[in-house]
Amino acid sequence: EVQLVESGGGLVKPGGSLRLSCAASGFTFSSYSMNWVRQAPGKGLEWVSSISSSSSYIYYADSVKGRFTISRDNAKNSLYLQMNSLRAEDTAVYYCARDRDSSSSGWFDPWGQGTLVTVSS
Amino acid sequence: DIQMTQSPSTLSASVGDRVTITCRASQSISSWLAWYQQKPGKAPKLLIYKASSLESGVPSRFSGSGSGTEFTLTISSLQPDDFATYYCQQYNSYSLTFGGGTKVEIK
């Protein structure tokens, strides 16, 4: 069964840092582009960042560029999101999502269950 | 960035109704559009990709159409399990963007 499990969320003060992890199983992780998508409480979905299978291509939303860093460890079947200089508006559930196809499709399936990040003093 | 505008934002319908949701892109995205369904407290689920391709396991009452800047998601006969929020997403270019969502409520 294909599975994505996020961890690392929690409460952090403005200006602080947090590192999210996503553990993948049930598929050949190294063959797929991976993504982070977030959802603020009661709001819609916002794409955050994408990384290609070999980490050759990395993209960020303007809202997080320069503050967040996406990375992956194919040997550990894991995806990461290092979040620095956190702001109140970064408060959201963060989802890890796989590209549906190994050809870097740009649409996402499956998704993890999400991890909540709360930025508050 | 390409902006995606969904309408309506909320839709009230009854079981058995035909439901149509529209998504408009601020510039042409060819057929690079996906539709997702999200239920409260759950992760989104892929329904449609490449504007009109039905994801495996998704009921055939769901269909997608359109190209360029205007797209629609149609549910031919609304079922109780379909009450949820629906999002479109473009993948023509990075930055990827989602529409604001359409909540389908029970009438």
Side-chain angles (χ1 to χ4, degrees):
Chain A
E1 178 194 5
V2 175
Q3 197 169 14
L4 299 170
V5 179
E6 302 94 336
S7 60
L11 176 63
V12 61
K13 289 181 168 54
S17 298
L18 212 55
R19 189 194 197 206
L20 305 183
S21 299
C22 173
S25 60
F27 65 99
T28 305
F29 181 74
S30 60
S31 296
Y32 290 82
S33 294
M34 297 295 295
N35 312 273
W36 289 100
V37 177
R38 68 184 180 183
Q39 187 169 36
K43 302 297 184 183
L45 301 170
E46 181 188 14
W47 169 76
V48 173
S49 183
S50 298
I51 185 168
S52 63
S53 57
S54 60
S55 305
S56 298
Y57 300 97
I58 288 176
Y59 305 94
Y60 296 101
D62 287 344
S63 58
V64 306
K65 203 172 292 182
R67 300 187 299 123
F68 289 12
T69 302
I70 191 172
S71 63
R72 64 190 295 161
D73 186 334
N74 287 343
K76 294 184 177 179
N77 290 342
S78 293
L79 175 72
Y80 306 103
L81 186 68
Q82 177 67 43
M83 303 185 296
N84 299 330
S85 303
L86 283 161
R87 307 166 180 166
E89 55 264 36
D90 295 318
T91 294
V93 174
Y94 284 74
Y95 294 102
C96 161
R98 191 195 76 178
D99 265 29
R100 180 190 177 276
D101 302 326
S102 57
S103 56
S104 295
S105 53
W107 59 92
F108 308 146
D109 183 73
W111 299 56
Q113 85 288 352
T115 187
L116 177 62
V117 172
T118 303
V119 184
S120 175
S121 54
Chain B
D1 291 3
I2 299 174
Q3 307 303 315
M4 305 302 292
T5 303
Q6 277 184 246
S7 60
S9 55
T10 306
L11 186 160
S12 296
S14 301
V15 172
D17 284 353
R18 181 181 181 87
V19 165
T20 299
I21 299 168
T22 297
C23 180
R24 289 187 174 87
S26 59
Q27 64 188 73
S28 178
I29 57 171
S30 186
S31 295
W32 301 118
L33 185 98
W35 289 97
Y36 300 87
Q37 177 194 67
Q38 187 180 34
K39 296 182 178 178
K42 300 293 187 182
K45 172 188 172 184
L46 179 66
L47 299 176
I48 302 282
Y49 59 95
K50 280 189 205 170
S52 61
S53 295
L54 190 68
E55 173 67 341
S56 175
V58 174
S60 59
R61 62 181 179 272
F62 290 92
S63 65
S65 64
S67 66
T69 61
E70 188 150 339
F71 303 86
T72 59
L73 173 70
T74 299
I75 309 172
S76 60
S77 177
L78 198 65
Q79 298 302 301
D81 191 48
D82 301 338
F83 292 97
T85 300
Y86 294 85
Y87 294 93
C88 61
Q89 178 229 331
Q90 68 82 17
Y91 47 94
N92 181 72
S93 64
Y94 288 89
S95 187
L96 306 177
T97 43
F98 289 88
T102 295
K103 185 175 183 180
V104 177
E105 297 180 328
I106 301 172
K107 191 172 184 179

